[in-house]
Amino acid sequence: MEQMSVMGMMKTIVPITRFNKGEASKIFDEVEISGTKIVMKNNKPACVLISPTQYESLMEMLSDYILYTEAETRMANNNDSENLSMADMMKELGITQEELDGVDVEIE
């Protein structure tokens, strides 16, 4: 995400009175164009309006970060002496390479 200048931040501020005056539709159009609006109530931020696309992007980033930190934790706690090679794992499970060759796997 890109950082915003002070002037850019000021342009995102929307007083709650605009909603009270029936300008919600216009504000939503502005969100679609600018991406973000900060709604002020009693001179304090009350909520942040963002586009659904931006919200989805933020949620994906959060999910990726959570998965990344989990992977980091698992790697830090990994004990190499407990790991099995692929050949040893296949032997333990009774799987042959020929059986695997005939299987199609899709990974997202």
Side-chain angles (χ1 to χ4, degrees):
M1 291 183 73
E2 54 189 77
Q3 290 191 348
M4 189 179 290
S5 68
V6 173
M7 288 305 292
M9 181 68 78
M10 294 298 291
K11 291 178 183 178
T12 66
I13 294 175
V14 176
I16 193 79
T17 55
R18 284 192 58 200
F19 281 96
N20 296 337
K21 293 177 182 176
E23 295 184 31
S25 181
K26 185 176 179 183
I27 295 167
F28 295 150
D29 290 342
E30 292 170 12
V31 168
E32 197 170 317
I33 293 166
S34 70
T36 307
K37 289 291 180 186
I38 301 169
V39 180
M40 302 294 284
K41 182 178 180 182
N42 298 324
N43 294 323
K44 294 181 183 176
C47 72
V48 177
L49 302 174
I50 61 175
S51 69
T53 303
Q54 189 174 5
Y55 177 79
E56 183 178 345
S57 176
L58 289 170
M59 292 299 102
E60 284 181 22
M61 279 194 284
L62 177 60
S63 178
D64 290 347
Y65 178 74
I66 291 168
L67 291 172
Y68 172 77
T69 57
E70 178 65 25
E72 288 269 306
T73 301
R74 289 181 182 189
M75 291 297 292
N77 295 328
N78 182 39
N79 182 353
D80 283 337
S81 66
E82 296 174 0
N83 294 343
L84 295 175
S85 69
M86 182 175 169
D88 290 340
M89 179 60 74
M90 288 173 58
K91 185 176 180 180
E92 187 175 303
L93 295 173
I95 300 171
T96 65
Q97 185 62 48
E98 292 77 30
E99 290 173 317
L100 291 180
D101 290 341
V103 176
D104 286 333
V105 177
E106 286 187 35
I107 299 175
E108 288 185 27

